[in-house]
Amino acid sequence: MATSIRLSRGGSKKRPYYRIVVADSRAPRDGKFIERIGSYNPVLPKGDEKRVVIDVERAKHWVAAGAQPTDRVARFLDAAGVKERAARNNPKKAEPGQKAKDRAEDRAAKAAEAAEAAEAAKAAAAEAAAAPAAEEAPVEEAAPAEEAAAEQTEG
């Protein structure tokens, strides 16, 4: 029979209290268990010695018998010196998913297009500011030439 050392929830709504039990791995979380080996009260402050209470001898016995602790219970057993818990590392945990990456790429592309459009608008404005002064001078010179041409055709 595959046994596990896990937490069984008790307590009322929003006031959790857990029993540390050895149970058949197929049994429901709060259902039938083989033996109760401790308790965990997350409501108590972290420094309180009654927050986690474990019968170390029975825990050692069940670990030697092959019972597999859950992650949370493995932390408690490691703190009690019953079973060494290997450090875990998941570098991909904080990496965004594929859709988030796609949205970020789209945002970057739109920002680049907006920057290019703004730069083009600045260049056009600078060109327009320089060009009207140059265009106005020939227009003024052309006006007297047109008047002279008009006088010759009349006369």
Side-chain angles (χ1 to χ4, degrees):
M1 166 172 46
T3 56
S4 65
I5 303 174
R6 63 184 181 204
L7 299 175
S8 175
R9 185 180 161 124
S12 60
K13 180 178 176 182
K14 299 194 182 206
R15 303 287 295 171
Y17 183 83
Y18 298 94
R19 293 180 291 189
I20 301 172
V21 298
V22 177
D24 183 0
S25 61
R26 297 169 294 184
R29 179 191 73 179
D30 300 335
K32 185 176 176 183
F33 59 89
I34 300 168
E35 182 180 356
R36 178 179 177 209
I37 61 172
S39 65
Y40 168 55
N41 189 354
V43 178
L44 295 175
K46 290 190 178 182
D48 195 343
E49 67 269 355
K50 292 185 180 180
R51 182 176 167 101
V52 178
V53 177
I54 297 178
D55 183 356
V56 177
E57 293 302 318
R58 293 307 294 167
K60 285 181 181 177
H61 165 77
W62 283 107
V63 168
Q68 293 296 315
T70 59
D71 289 339
R72 177 61 57 179
V73 174
R75 283 178 179 236
F76 299 152
L77 295 178
D78 185 32
V82 175
K83 183 178 181 182
E84 188 71 26
R85 181 173 147 305
R88 299 173 72 180
N89 185 15
N90 186 1
K92 291 192 172 190
K93 182 178 180 180
E95 188 175 309
Q98 187 61 42
K99 286 190 176 184
K101 288 179 186 175
D102 292 342
R103 285 191 300 267
E105 288 175 10
D106 291 343
R107 269 190 249 117
K110 285 182 182 179
E113 288 176 12
E116 287 177 19
E119 194 173 309
K122 283 182 181 179
E127 219 177 274
E135 289 179 12
E136 288 178 19
V139 171
E140 291 175 14
E141 293 175 10
E146 289 176 10
E147 290 176 15
E151 288 178 14
Q152 288 179 359
T153 55
E154 288 179 14

